[in-house]
Amino acid sequence: MLGADVAVLVAGPGHHGTRPVALLHDGEVRTGAGSDMAHAVAEVEAAHRPRWVWWAAQDAAEAVAARVHLARAWDVAEAHRLLHGGVEAGPGLAWAAAHGLAPDTVPAAPTGDLFDLVAAPDLPADDVLVDAAGHLRADHARWTEDPTHLRAWAEAALATARRQLDAASRVSPRLAATVASESAAALLCLELERDGLPLDRARTEQLVAEAAGPRSATDADDAAARRARDALVLRHLPGREHLDLRNPAQVKDMLAAVGVDVPSTRKWVLEPYRDVHPVVGALLTWRRDERIATTYGYRWLDAHVGPDDRLRGRWTACDGAAGRMTAENGLHNLPAVLRPGVAAHPGHVLVRADLGQIEPRVLAVVSGDAAFAAATRADDLYAPVAQRLGVERAVAKIAVLAAMYGQRSGAAGEALKGLEAAYPVAMGLLDRAYASGRRGEPLRTYGGRLVRTGRVLAARPPGADPALDAARGRFARNAVIQGSAAELFKAWAATVRATVRDLDAAVVLCLHDELLLHVPQEHAQEAAARVDLALTDAARRWSGGAPVRFVADTSVIARWSDAKD
DNA sequence: CGGTGAACGTA
DNA sequence: CGTACGTTCACCGA
């Protein structure tokens, strides 16, 4: 994986475009300002299609901005997160881990104040990157401001990557492939931020207006609109006109006074009390509209939707828990009522594809349960499970979800016993994950990501608090499924990224089990077919050919909210 | 002014 | 609400 066809791309500190960048390929290093280096990167890609090694995808920011497509990468930061868990994965930490140095001995980066000049111990000679203890020098960020240092910086990244590959092959035969997939996902994250999510601005503004009222010209108008929204609730409460609806404690006291005695004012707690007092319904409607007015209102539109009518936010390839993708600025939690505003631009369509029942299908792969794998041959996995258990489909579904997530409320009891009997291998995997979590032991996803379970209130050791142990157990059981599903999803997304490129199509949204592509109209059917083919290919590679079927519901639409074909 | 919890959107 | 995440608000203590 890191043989002869390797190129290294690293950047020094500074602003994108003007910062120093080095490209190391075939023993030769080229350095220059980032924006000037983009075409050199493109040349190497076109001629050699190497595997690119970088400390993090951010090193390729200028190439991405210049729309240079890079096919294969080894991202040292993503590899570190997979091998060792956690989110922190800077060069100093990744280097240390790759060289067997304890993470708590990594020297802290200088903060830039005078104290550093006085306290700095044993500064290495100025042309040396590694200190006496074997760590990257603490001031490596400043040190790489000098372009003559960038060759050593690139070689350090390559050395780290090679050690990571050795470590990965010792952990799991699948881990190197997972690094490749995660590295592509991290690159895709930069492209998602660059391209944005296409919106129909007029329609989106209209939807916002329906919840928040018309756009205010002045602060006074804004305050008046806010008072008008509040009045729709307060009119049910004569004598309490000064109640602050945004203060949960005041709302709770008010509700108790009108006969609604609840432990909290959360939506699902209040929902059953709609008939007790009209203020309950009014409050819930107010909360829905207030969410749009404050979080997804005009301020959000103005801040994050560009003049090209695209919504942009930062993306990260893996969160700190099980490894799902995250996104900012509402890209991952846009209220459903605003979805009609997400629309293909003229001459284009959206291709929407979502994975069906991904988590139980992933459980079949991770556990290697042959009987459960057989159930994945059905379009609806719960049908054969229900048949085997002799229960209704709805009961089978609840039982499977209860087994995976540890739901304790509800009546899944009998069906759960049936599951244990019918699919002992799959249920055994979930039980072992739960037990590992209770003991605070780390575990690995199918693709090899280390998930630490001690992170749940790490201050209290396992065994000290039964409720905490149970929480760690539930977290672990969920993480092995959710994290493995995230790996399959990213392998799929990376495959789609590569295979629809020649259609001028692009992935514009990743949502855990759903992909949205922006596609020229004339390539709609071809892009949809390639999305489905990419799932077959990615699933076969990720699962190592396990007899488990994955299914996508794929449709060509104009708006995200449109019904499926 | 920074940190915390409540609340709620998404999967 | 089984588990995550991001955002906004009010409150708390400095």
Side-chain angles (χ1 to χ4, degrees):
Chain A
M1 183 166 280
L2 291 172
D5 51 349
V6 170
V8 188
L9 182 62
V10 295
H15 297 294
H16 288 173
T18 59
R19 63 183 183 166
V21 164
L23 194 175
L24 177 63
H25 177 250
D26 208 13
E28 286 184 34
V29 67
R30 273 181 277 182
T31 61
S35 56
D36 298 336
M37 290 295 290
H39 72 273
V41 172
E43 278 172 21
V44 171
E45 175 73 9
H48 304 282
R49 203 168 176 271
R51 184 162 300 278
W52 292 93
V53 169
W54 39 63
W55 289 111
Q58 201 62 42
D59 287 321
E62 288 89 350
V64 171
R67 310 197 71 84
V68 178
H69 179 86
L70 304 175
R72 309 189 298 162
W74 182 284
D75 184 313
V76 167
E78 296 302 343
H80 178 82
R81 294 184 182 109
L82 285 164
L83 279 162
H84 303 286
V87 176
E88 289 299 309
L93 188 58
W95 168 277
H99 289 79
L101 303 167
D104 55 4
T105 63
V106 175
T111 53
D113 54 29
L114 284 173
F115 180 76
D116 290 321
L117 296 176
V118 181
D122 307 341
L123 263 185
D126 201 46
D127 57 344
V128 175
L129 176 54
V130 179
D131 70 15
H135 286 290
L136 293 185
R137 57 188 292 162
D139 64 343
H140 59 73
R142 286 288 313 273
W143 188 77
T144 54
E145 281 176 10
D146 182 344
T148 65
H149 290 150
L150 283 176
R151 183 182 185 111
W153 189 235
E155 285 168 346
L158 182 57
T160 306
R162 291 199 192 286
R163 284 172 172 266
Q164 288 179 328
L165 175 58
D166 285 347
S169 59
R170 285 194 298 273
V171 168
S172 148
R174 289 182 290 270
L175 191 39
T178 308
V179 173
S181 171
E182 294 284 324
S183 301
L187 207 46
L188 174 59
C189 285
L190 291 182
E191 295 169 354
L192 287 165
E193 182 176 354
R194 177 194 68 194
D195 294 342
L197 180 66
L199 294 191
D200 173 344
R201 181 187 293 267
R203 183 68 182 277
T204 309
E205 293 229 10
Q206 180 194 339
L207 292 164
V208 169
E210 283 167 18
R215 196 185 266 273
S216 303
T218 66
D219 286 352
D221 286 353
D222 216 34
R226 188 168 137 140
R227 280 195 301 275
R229 284 200 304 275
D230 293 1
L232 295 176
V233 181
L234 297 174
R235 67 182 174 163
H236 296 289
L237 301 166
R240 289 177 175 271
E241 285 77 15
H242 295 295
L243 174 73
D244 182 357
L245 294 170
R246 293 161 189 82
N247 183 328
Q250 285 189 33
V251 171
K252 185 165 170 286
D253 290 346
M254 174 276 289
L255 287 169
V258 301
V260 179
D261 199 4
V262 285
S264 84
T265 72
R266 292 192 144 93
K267 188 168 83 172
W268 58 87
V269 175
L270 289 181
E271 202 64 53
Y273 293 90
R274 276 181 184 276
D275 296 336
V276 176
H277 194 285
V279 76
V280 174
L283 179 66
L284 292 173
T285 301
W286 176 87
R287 286 244 179 96
R288 190 196 65 203
D289 290 346
E290 186 74 0
R291 169 70 44 183
I292 296 198
T294 56
T295 305
Y296 303 106
Y298 301 106
R299 191 175 57 183
W300 167 76
L301 278 171
D302 295 344
H304 306 304
V305 181
D308 57 355
D309 289 359
R310 286 170 180 260
L311 170 63
R312 288 184 174 80
R314 289 200 341 227
W315 289 78
T316 56
C318 75
D319 63 25
R324 299 218 289 197
M325 293 174 79
T326 68
E328 297 181 351
N329 300 341
L331 285 157
H332 264 185
N333 40 11
L334 195 72
V337 294
L338 294 183
R339 286 191 179 194
V342 177
H345 283 180
H348 289 71
V349 294
L350 299 176
V351 172
R352 170 181 186 263
D354 66 291
L355 298 177
Q357 304 166 339
I358 179 176
E359 294 191 335
R361 289 169 196 273
V362 161
L363 171 60
V365 173
V366 177
S367 65
D369 188 310
F372 204 55
T376 66
R377 283 202 285 271
D379 284 355
D380 175 17
L381 168 147
Y382 299 118
V385 172
Q387 192 172 26
R388 176 137 181 182
L389 268 55
V391 299
E392 291 294 312
R393 178 190 182 278
V395 176
K397 178 177 178 178
I398 289 171
V400 169
L401 295 177
M404 285 193 300
Y405 303 148
Q407 179 189 330
R408 286 157 304 171
S409 56
E414 278 304 307
L416 264 174
K417 283 181 200 157
L419 276 182
E420 297 281 356
Y423 308 109
V425 179
M427 297 304 119
L429 177 120
L430 294 169
D431 291 343
R432 284 200 307 283
Y434 183 77
S436 297
R438 287 189 58 103
R439 292 191 297 267
E441 294 169 0
L443 43 86
R444 287 194 186 266
T445 61
Y446 186 71
R449 180 185 298 280
L450 187 81
V451 177
R452 299 202 192 109
T453 59
R455 61 183 283 291
V456 182
L457 286 180
R460 316 260 332 252
D465 179 346
L468 205 52
D469 291 345
R472 289 195 185 98
R474 286 195 305 275
F475 168 74
R477 179 168 46 194
N478 185 264
V480 70
I481 300 301
Q482 190 186 93
S484 300
E487 282 156 11
L488 170 63
F489 177 81
K490 281 180 264 190
W492 180 40
T495 307
V496 170
R497 168 186 180 263
T499 57
V500 303
R501 207 167 66 83
D502 62 304
L503 304 176
D504 291 324
V507 177
V508 290
L509 188 76
C510 295
L511 195 48
H512 306 316
D513 64 356
E514 181 174 352
L515 278 176
L516 211 55
L517 281 70
H518 198 228
V519 183
Q521 212 156 22
E522 64 272 24
H523 296 314
Q525 293 308 322
E526 178 63 19
R530 292 190 193 181
V531 165
D532 290 341
L533 184 60
L535 176 60
T536 306
D537 290 347
R540 189 180 53 239
R541 282 199 306 275
W542 175 75
S543 71
V548 172
R549 183 164 164 256
F550 287 88
V551 295
D553 187 349
T554 306
S555 51
V556 177
I557 53 180
R559 296 179 186 277
W560 194 11
S561 53
D562 286 349
K564 297 163 192 175
D565 291 349

